[in-house]
Amino acid sequence: MGMTGIQILKFLPKTNCGECGVPTCLAFAMQLATGKAELEKCPYVAEESKAKLAASAAPPVRPLTVGTGEYAVKVGGETVSFRHEKTFVNPPGLACLVSSDEAEASIQGKIDRFKACQFERVGLNLRPEMFALKDASNDPATYKAFVQKFMGLCDASLILICPNPDVMAAAMEVAAERKPLLYAVTLKNGPKMAKLAKDFGCPAVVRGDGNMDTVIKLTENLGKMGLKDLVIDTGTREPHRLYQELTLIRRSALATFRPLGYPTIVFPCEMASDLDNETLLSALYIAKYGSFIVMSDFQAHSLFPLLLSRLNIYTDPQRPMTAEQGIYPIGNPDENSPVLVTSNFSLTYFIVSGEIESSRVPAWLLVQDTEGLSVLTAWAAGKFNGETVGTFVKKSGIADKISQKKVIIPGYAAAISGELEEELGGWQVVVGPREASQIPKFLKTL
Amino acid sequence: MAFQPIKQKYTGAIKEVVLGKDDRAVKIGGRTAFPFLNFEGEFPNPPRIAMEVWDKDPSADWSDVAKAPFQGILSDPPAWAKKCVEEYGAELIVVQTKSADPNGDNAPAEQVAAMVKKIADAVNVPVIVWGVANHDKDTAVMRLVAEQCADRKLAIAPVEEGDYKQIGAACLGYNHTVVASSPIDVNLAKQMNILLGNLGVKENNLVIDPTTGGLGYGLEYSYSVMERLMQASMTQGDDKLQSPVISNMANEIWKCKEANLSAEEAPTLGDPEHRGILMEAVAAVDYLMAGADVLVMRHPQAVKLVRGFIGTMMSA
């Protein structure tokens, strides 16, 4: 990983000139070590030292972006093997394979389903981002026309799959503007394919032959050419072995073994007999170190579970997911429907709203911003008390939607009921159940 | 530069626990490396799939997709359990004693225990009995269950801080395995194992239930607690957490709203049958990768997919 402040200090001029804005070189080194300062601020550091420091400070898995605009996919930048050790940073891109000889209706179906797969959840839009366009013609004009036509139908980010650099070159005349991922540089086509990636400034996949030494040789050679935006395909298509390889690649990257410090691409579409089994393998590589995942088809019933698992695995454990503060109507409530208030920890919101929904009693759910804390924790931290809840209920505007001024609070916050009645003035405060699972029973007997 | 694989250094292994006895015993745990990394450890037992059977007709709570494979026998738990084993190849059966729930049917403990016995007698695989997490009721039910199924070496769950003395004693008395439950927290899981150890429960009779979240509804918390348990016990020298882990996931997955919506209710979510099955199977993959040794599952098609996945991942 990165150097310590003391290690960095050795590369600095040690003149304590202060021109970087920090009084001493040691203090500056400390800030560099924690990422608070930038090396550029020191006008006197030698070029050679600069290069060494930059290399050491580079993230262990190189970050790179495929595509432009709203479907751009950023991957890499990971710093841990297990999400709880810090967080996973950039979720893998999900791609669907399309072949240049595929029937038009089949391609159109995939594009339609791609566009329809947009799921709103806790303020995020869950959806796939990519298509992998595979050449089956080995003819420059055919592949170019295919890519061009596809780009006219769909804004997705692209992976161009084509072993022949001459064919790829033709497609790049139209595709370069979308910054596609080129698949792939191999030992065989290396020089020509790599030159294409370099000329167009696009990231490229290196494809190995199931032997990690081949991958290392390729990334090292391309690195010498100045090609840094690389993605690894080890060439392995056996799921278990590939999982082990990806684990070892992540370990090597974290140990700053640069030749393997790149994102990865996997092909469940070539590894399973049907879409159900592809879905399971995709789940595996979402959890364990895949950066681009190529499936044979997009179907909502397969994508939806994968998008949820991707959301869960890549949620920052240091920052709880939150629901937006506000009024949530559940089951078309009217002026006589009950009003419940809860915290904005996303799990609390999901569970409480789910239970209200399953009770089939229409209700108003008020979600208060507790900075992502659950009811009990928020109450203990003084963020869910008579004053905060009262202020929120008043400002929410719920009073205009109901005829009787009555609010139901969670059982765990029973202690605030007196204070809340005082704060609200003229409202009746009812203490609800402690556990969300009891809400249906409670609402039905209300 | 030649490739040098970096191997994880392990300081501990997961204990092997035997569920059931004699010719119908099933071993769980026993692995000496992180999930499926057999280039650096031994995996004497694959992760196991237990299929759940409710002790009451779940028709009112279940969607058509979940009910379809068990049409006609959901009100006959012994027949249901038999079908899971004989037709769907369940290696283990979990009896969920839902009828005991004081907030639901509140069936008397004697009646609940009698049904558990009937279900256990109907199958020749090990049985895990899962209560309703109400200390008083579970204690009453499990005492009877422990006695009446004395010859089966059951696993009994959930055993929590509030009832471990009572249920733990019943398990000790009749040599059943204890499933120690704690709410998504490594330290609380450790505390439960210590308390049960002090009570006299042996490590080879102990399984950890770290509490399971649904896919999209808290899966990440359970996932990370399982990975932390695994690291603590296998690479950080904590010998109090080396028990196999069970994930009671079916309940949580099928509780998710989206697992149950029909095509009319959710036109953008694809085929409802595939969706429910894949939500269960995808969550199962996540929990396997986080280190679960036993998964409690519901839909036979999801079970089949995950069994295939485990087979693939156990290959040499």
Side-chain angles (χ1 to χ4, degrees):
Chain A
M1 294 284 282
M3 291 189 219
T4 65
I6 301 295
Q7 286 169 324
I8 294 172
L9 182 63
K10 291 180 189 146
F11 294 95
L12 299 179
K14 295 194 267 296
T15 51
N16 298 335
C17 68
E19 285 180 44
C20 60
V22 182
T24 66
C25 289
L26 177 61
F28 183 57
M30 291 300 181
Q31 292 206 352
L32 285 173
T34 52
K36 284 181 192 144
E38 301 219 350
L39 191 57
E40 304 303 316
K41 290 274 175 71
C42 175
Y44 304 109
V45 64
E47 280 304 319
E48 194 189 333
S49 305
K50 239 185 218 173
K52 278 185 187 157
L53 283 168
S56 137
V61 181
R62 185 171 175 86
L64 60 87
T65 302
V66 170
T68 56
E70 60 162 336
Y71 284 105
V73 179
K74 186 178 181 193
V75 297
E78 304 300 334
T79 58
V80 292
S81 282
F82 298 95
R83 63 183 290 279
H84 66 264
E85 292 171 332
K86 189 163 185 200
T87 180
F88 286 176
V89 186
N90 292 310
L94 296 177
C96 174
L97 188 70
V98 169
S99 177
S100 63
D101 60 356
E102 194 166 325
E104 208 160 306
S106 169
I107 296 177
Q108 191 58 50
K110 287 176 176 177
I111 292 174
D112 291 345
R113 291 192 295 279
F114 169 83
K115 288 179 177 168
C117 274
Q118 315 248 355
F119 310 112
E120 177 72 26
R121 203 174 176 87
V122 283
L124 300 169
N125 186 15
L126 309 185
R127 63 179 184 189
E129 302 86 359
M130 314 183 82
F131 273 96
L133 308 184
K134 184 176 184 171
D135 177 47
S137 67
N138 201 27
D139 174 63
T142 307
Y143 188 51
K144 178 181 173 181
F146 166 67
V147 170
Q148 187 162 27
K149 187 172 176 202
F150 190 93
M151 287 172 63
L153 296 171
C154 181
D155 293 334
S157 289
L158 301 176
I159 302 168
L160 300 184
I161 300 183
C162 168
N164 182 337
D166 297 329
V167 178
M168 185 72 94
M172 282 304 282
E173 289 168 20
V174 291
E177 58 175 82
R178 215 177 268 186
K179 205 182 168 203
L181 175 61
L182 306 190
Y183 184 97
V185 180
T186 61
L187 284 178
K188 211 168 136 199
N189 69 13
K192 280 181 91 174
M193 194 64 98
K195 187 169 181 308
L196 269 183
K198 193 167 162 83
D199 290 350
F200 286 103
C202 287
V205 178
V206 297
R207 180 181 167 140
D209 50 10
N211 182 342
M212 211 73 93
D213 288 331
T214 309
V215 172
I216 292 170
K217 188 171 168 191
L218 281 165
T219 61
E220 283 184 330
N221 285 346
L222 298 188
K224 280 177 206 147
M225 286 176 61
L227 267 178
K228 299 280 187 196
D229 284 343
L230 303 175
V231 174
I232 294 173
D233 171 9
T234 64
T236 296
R237 294 293 181 268
E238 197 280 299
H240 179 228
R241 185 154 163 236
L242 178 56
Y243 155 64
Q244 300 195 332
E245 288 174 353
L246 295 180
T247 302
L248 289 170
I249 288 174
R250 175 63 59 90
R251 286 181 188 171
S252 289
L254 297 187
T256 58
F257 180 63
R258 297 291 174 194
L260 293 176
Y262 297 99
T264 61
I265 185 168
V266 299
F267 292 88
C269 58
E270 295 177 13
M271 299 162 68
S273 53
D274 57 33
L275 188 63
D276 286 357
N277 282 293
E278 277 183 43
T279 307
L280 268 64
L281 293 182
S282 300
L284 159 63
Y285 300 122
I286 285 172
K288 296 296 171 186
Y289 320 129
S291 314
F292 297 99
I293 296 171
V294 186
M295 304 178 68
S296 66
D297 198 0
F298 277 154
Q299 292 288 347
H301 50 251
S302 141
L303 279 172
F304 182 69
L306 290 176
L307 290 165
L308 287 183
S309 75
R310 185 175 76 171
L311 173 72
N312 282 167
I313 301 283
Y314 277 81
T315 293
D316 185 345
Q318 304 154 112
R319 270 187 306 175
M321 281 203 298
T322 57
E324 208 173 319
Q325 171 164 294
I327 304 174
Y328 292 77
I330 299 175
N332 292 322
D334 61 21
E335 55 177 24
N336 296 315
S337 302
V339 177
L340 299 90
V341 62
T342 193
S343 77
N344 82 329
F345 177 38
S346 66
L347 273 192
T348 306
Y349 163 70
F350 283 141
I351 292 166
V352 170
S353 60
E355 293 291 350
I356 295 174
E357 205 161 317
S358 72
S359 78
R360 300 191 190 279
V361 177
W364 302 98
L365 179 62
L366 301 187
V367 172
Q368 188 201 331
D369 182 0
T370 53
E371 295 164 27
L373 298 180
S374 68
V375 169
L376 192 56
T377 325
W379 171 73
K383 294 183 198 302
F384 197 83
N385 57 29
E387 194 190 330
T388 63
V389 176
T391 309
F392 164 59
V393 170
K394 276 190 274 187
K395 280 192 179 162
S396 70
I398 186 68
D400 303 335
K401 299 180 189 293
I402 51 170
S403 57
Q404 47 167 352
K405 291 187 169 171
K406 187 159 118 181
V407 62
I408 299 161
I409 61 170
Y412 278 117
I416 74 167
S417 68
E419 199 190 338
L420 180 59
E421 269 179 0
E422 222 164 273
E423 182 73 29
L424 282 171
W427 283 63
Q428 187 193 347
V429 176
V430 179
V431 177
R434 286 181 154 217
E435 299 295 339
S437 57
Q438 303 306 317
I439 288 177
K441 200 176 170 187
F442 175 83
L443 287 178
K444 282 174 197 160
T445 55
L446 204 63
Chain B
M1 230 182 287
F3 178 57
Q4 299 282 347
I6 300 175
K7 292 201 178 176
Q8 174 71 50
K9 288 180 188 67
Y10 295 99
T11 56
I14 302 298
K15 296 268 186 305
E16 189 169 81
V17 171
V18 182
L19 301 177
K21 59 200 278 193
D22 305 330
D23 56 342
R24 44 190 177 188
V26 168
K27 289 178 188 166
I28 61 171
R31 64 191 164 87
T32 64
F34 290 160
F36 308 114
L37 296 181
N38 62 353
F39 64 88
E40 58 189 17
E42 302 297 319
F43 292 76
N45 307 303
R48 311 283 186 182
I49 300 173
M51 287 184 76
E52 67 165 9
V53 172
W54 286 24
D55 71 338
K56 63 174 252 191
D57 191 333
S59 297
D61 295 323
W62 286 19
S63 66
D64 292 343
V65 170
K67 283 189 280 195
F70 307 105
Q71 221 43 269
I73 51 169
L74 284 171
S75 53
D76 183 354
W80 175 0
K82 231 171 140 63
K83 186 164 189 174
C84 285
V85 175
E86 289 169 9
E87 199 166 318
Y88 301 131
E91 296 168 279
L92 303 162
I93 289 292
V94 169
V95 180
Q96 310 269 13
T97 61
K98 299 279 183 183
S99 73
D101 190 351
N103 295 310
D105 295 0
N106 201 18
E110 294 74 20
Q111 188 184 318
V112 179
M115 180 51 88
V116 170
K117 172 105 173 73
K118 266 192 208 163
I119 299 169
D121 286 347
V123 296
N124 61 356
V125 299
V127 173
I128 300 162
V129 185
W130 209 291
V132 293
N134 175 296
H135 301 326
D136 295 336
K137 192 61 184 277
D138 281 349
T139 299
V141 170
M142 296 308 175
R143 273 184 175 153
L144 294 173
V145 165
E147 187 186 342
Q148 290 168 15
C149 299
D151 59 335
R152 289 299 293 269
K153 196 165 188 288
L154 304 170
I156 292 181
V159 178
E160 302 177 298
E161 202 183 345
D163 56 23
Y164 81 95
K165 283 185 186 159
Q166 294 80 7
I167 302 181
C171 289
L172 276 174
Y174 297 97
N175 195 30
H176 298 305
T177 292
V178 174
V179 178
S181 295
S182 48
I184 328 186
D185 186 299
V186 176
N187 294 318
L188 294 178
K190 182 170 177 174
Q191 185 186 325
M192 277 305 298
N193 277 14
I194 292 172
L195 290 172
L196 285 160
N198 293 344
L199 194 69
V201 175
K202 296 280 179 292
E203 281 173 331
N204 58 5
N205 267 336
L206 192 53
V207 176
I208 293 177
D209 160 35
T211 305
T212 297
L215 181 63
Y217 294 84
L219 174 135
E220 70 270 35
Y221 295 91
S222 307
Y223 179 92
S224 281
V225 162
M226 285 189 199
E227 290 202 325
R228 291 182 61 199
L229 283 170
M230 180 173 88
Q231 284 185 317
S233 62
M234 303 188 83
T235 63
Q236 293 161 2
D238 195 324
D239 62 357
K240 295 289 181 230
L241 286 170
Q242 293 171 338
S243 310
V245 166
I246 185 168
S247 170
N248 188 17
M249 55 170 279
N251 254 325
E252 303 308 317
I253 302 307
W254 289 94
K255 227 185 331 189
C256 301
K257 183 172 70 181
E258 295 87 352
N260 299 301
L261 296 175
S262 66
E264 294 74 42
E265 291 167 314
T268 61
L269 288 179
D271 173 56
E273 185 179 3
H274 268 84
R275 187 196 328 127
I277 289 165
L278 288 175
M279 283 181 74
E280 186 171 18
V282 162
V285 167
D286 283 336
Y287 285 128
L288 287 172
M289 300 319 295
D293 299 282
V294 182
L295 300 172
V296 181
M297 297 185 65
R298 179 173 298 173
H299 199 288
Q301 185 56 27
V303 169
K304 191 176 164 191
L305 285 168
V306 174
R307 188 181 294 131
F309 177 81
I310 292 172
T312 302
M313 297 300 281
M314 289 298 291
S315 63

